[in-house]
Amino acid sequence: MVPSAFVVVTALLLRLGSANLADESELPSEYGSLWPLPQSVNTSPELYRLSEVTFQIVHSPHSTASVGCSILDNAFRRYFAYIFSVSARSEGWAPATSETSGSSAEELRELQVTLTASDPECTQHPRSTSSEAYEISVAQPVAILKSENVWGALRGLETFSQLVYEDEYNTHLVNKTEIVDSPRFAHRGVLLDTSRHYLPVKVILETLDAMSFNKFNVFHWHIVDDPSFPYQSITFPELSAQGAYHPFTHIYTLTDVQIIIEYARERGIRVIPEFDTPGHTQSWKGQSNLLTPCYNGEKLTGSFGPINPTLNTTYDFINQLFKEISWVFPDEYIHLGGDEVNFDCWKSNPRITQFMQKQGFGTDYRKLESFYIQKVLDIVASNLKGYMVWQEVFDNGVKIKPDTIVEVWMESNMKAELSKVTLAGFTTILAAPWYLDYISYGQDWQKYYRTEPLHFNGTAAQKKLVIGGEACLWGEYVDATNLASRLWPRASAVSERLWSSAETTNLSDAYKRLSKHRCRMVRRGIPAEPLFVGYCDYEYKGL
């Protein structure tokens, strides 16, 4: 097929744009390879060298977590390995020259980590209100990382690891630096879909690593959906036995889930599960009398629609299931979905019709959906959990608690929806512009990077209600073979938009830093796809 003129011109423009950015990247960024860019960075040409033999990452004697904080002890070992195990050449501000040889630089012996809070949260899980602020001072002979709690320390360790680089003589160097940093938005998430394709636990753990490299702090686990139900419920084991692709090989056991939650905790990442109802539930066939039987006239078709909202047994089941989910997942929030409910099967079912008439709903099936969702919200609230919902729940007028988080996902009316939701006083996160399953040729990271979450009509008070956003990777065409390359470094553009200041918008500088950051992810074992032509000093070698 001969490509249209539009396709040819578009491809040419993409190539020209990419080439311009690549040409400008010959000079390094003044910020080296820092990603996402901290709020305040001051560097000096003064260099210090680090030796794998003598350098240590240690607790400061003044830290409130100097004893028995395993989350930091493990992070110290992890980041020591990131700094020294493989080459970091060309990722700092500038390589040493004969005039400023790294071998003649003063030695930096320690990075001392100081936590200041009386409860540094070493044994806790991160929360929506957890502070991630930190400060770094790199000066000879000791560098200092200071934060209130472990979550800020984890972010600071990632930043410090990004400051260290090698000269041409393989000497590890770091510039004299002062950094004061904290995230712009509190909720910075990545959504993975494990229903449309099963993702092995190993792949999820690798994604959590990559998320920590980019300072994401929420794993939105869209764990079940129409195609499969891989979550192995303790209370209702038939859900996965009948609903998973395979009842033994393609499931997440309680142990699997606990491993993922703890791995995420050690990296300062919350795990928010999504159990989407009443739609997207075709795989819930393991629970009898839950789904709505569909009719053709007066005859059953043998197919099923959304959850049947007219039966008391439905709510007994939901209550027991969400009690279990509330126990298994420690985060204070659960995502309840509520999007894209198809009313055709409900409309075909005579018992649903009778129920509608009895309730005074007429033929407005949105009222039936609201009836169901309201009951589910009350059940979840009774289990002392907060909830997140997709925007349709708000749009359909369901009575939701004041602390509900509404996730805006429809890009066509994104700005108007943000205005409406925040005007109603609800906390909001934005996903609409960051659906990474939509792929295109060229550097589409740029459009993700350019999106400003607060560009909508609203007061300052409304805009404070937007607490962040999520990069969403739905799984129709994604499994373990291509997840990492499709997610990274495209999601990295979202991470900087959600972490860094609103004034951090220079695409040329971002390209320089992101190219190096992508190579760093490759070096750490993440097969992130290239931005454009070029190479990494340490290329991905696979298994």
Side-chain angles (χ1 to χ4, degrees), residues 27-324:
L27 294 174
S29 166
E30 63 176 304
Y31 301 113
S33 63
L34 288 175
W35 195 278
L37 188 66
Q39 302 292 334
S40 172
V41 183
N42 290 296
T43 63
S44 162
E46 186 173 339
L47 291 173
Y48 310 122
R49 57 186 172 85
L50 290 73
S51 166
E52 186 175 2
V53 176
T54 58
F55 180 78
Q56 299 180 85
I57 306 175
V58 297
H59 295 281
S60 159
H62 308 294
S63 175
T64 57
S66 57
V67 177
C69 190
S70 62
I71 192 171
L72 274 191
D73 294 336
N74 293 337
F76 291 172
R77 289 189 286 270
R78 196 162 64 244
Y79 277 98
F80 185 91
Y82 288 150
I83 290 169
F84 289 108
S85 63
V86 285
S87 171
R89 184 173 300 169
S90 301
E91 291 185 359
W93 272 259
T97 64
S98 56
E99 290 81 12
T100 60
S101 172
S103 60
S104 62
E106 295 288 335
E107 185 174 3
L108 186 72
R109 293 260 179 171
E110 285 186 347
L111 171 64
Q112 291 188 358
V113 179
T114 301
L115 305 192
T116 61
S118 57
D119 178 8
E121 303 182 21
C122 290
T123 61
Q124 299 178 26
H125 289 268
R127 297 174 60 85
S128 58
T129 56
S130 295
S131 171
E132 297 172 281
Y134 67 92
E135 298 178 8
I136 292 176
S137 176
V138 179
Q140 202 276 336
V142 173
I144 301 294
L145 165 58
K146 183 183 292 186
S147 66
E148 180 181 338
N149 55 38
V150 292
W151 319 120
L154 291 173
R155 304 299 171 237
L157 286 168
E158 175 60 36
T159 298
F160 181 82
S161 75
Q162 296 181 8
L163 292 173
V164 179
Y165 59 100
E166 284 188 79
D167 66 10
E168 63 266 39
Y169 306 108
N170 298 324
T171 302
H172 288 83
L173 299 170
V174 63
N175 290 69
K176 184 176 183 179
T177 305
E178 300 286 335
I179 289 176
V180 179
D181 197 16
S182 60
R184 182 183 175 204
F185 292 101
H187 185 114
R188 306 177 310 282
V190 170
L191 178 151
L192 295 186
D193 170 10
T194 58
S195 172
R196 291 171 176 87
H197 283 98
Y198 176 82
L199 298 175
V201 171
K202 177 177 181 289
V203 172
I204 294 176
L205 300 184
E206 289 173 349
T207 302
L208 291 169
D209 278 329
M211 288 173 63
S212 71
F213 303 155
N214 290 273
K215 297 188 173 73
F216 281 106
N217 68 345
V218 176
F219 170 34
H220 177 169
W221 191 355
H222 188 87
I223 192 166
V224 301
D225 206 300
D226 281 330
S228 73
F229 196 106
Y231 172 75
Q232 188 179 57
S233 169
I234 305 164
T235 314
F236 301 101
E238 284 302 305
L239 287 171
S240 60
Q242 297 188 39
Y245 286 133
H246 190 283
F248 302 113
T249 61
H250 286 59
I251 59 169
Y252 301 105
T253 65
L254 175 61
T255 299
D256 292 334
V257 172
Q258 290 174 332
I259 287 170
I260 289 166
I261 290 171
E262 178 60 18
Y263 199 88
R265 187 186 78 88
E266 292 245 335
R267 287 149 185 80
I269 297 170
R270 301 162 57 202
V271 178
I272 299 179
E274 181 181 353
F275 287 81
D276 191 0
T277 67
H280 293 282
T281 50
Q282 290 296 297
S283 64
W284 297 46
K285 55 194 175 185
Q287 179 66 18
S288 61
N289 299 319
L290 179 66
L291 303 182
T292 303
C294 303
Y295 282 73
N296 183 3
E298 297 182 355
K299 294 183 178 181
L300 287 166
T301 64
S303 60
F304 293 87
I307 284 176
N308 189 335
T310 69
L311 303 177
N312 290 333
T313 54
T314 291
Y315 302 104
D316 292 338
F317 162 77
I318 292 291
N319 185 38
Q320 291 183 68
L321 178 63
F322 277 102
K323 275 186 178 178
E324 175 187 319

Side-chain angles (χ1 to χ4, degrees), residues 419-458:
S419 296
K420 286 193 299 181
V421 175
T422 55
L423 184 62
F426 291 107
T427 303
T428 310
I429 59 174
L430 181 63
W434 297 314
Y435 269 42
L436 304 189
D437 47 301
Y438 297 149
I439 60 173
S440 57
Y441 186 79
Q443 296 198 49
D444 57 359
W445 70 270
Q446 296 178 29
K447 68 180 180 182
Y448 306 135
Y449 191 82
R450 288 191 182 102
T451 297
E452 169 49 53
L454 302 187
H455 278 177
F456 64 93
N457 291 327

Side-chain angles (χ1 to χ4, degrees), residues 516-531:
K516 294 175 182 289
H517 179 58
R518 177 257 168 181
C519 285
R520 177 166 50 236
M521 286 194 285
V522 167
R523 194 178 70 250
R524 293 180 181 180
I526 307 299
E529 70 177 12
L531 273 71

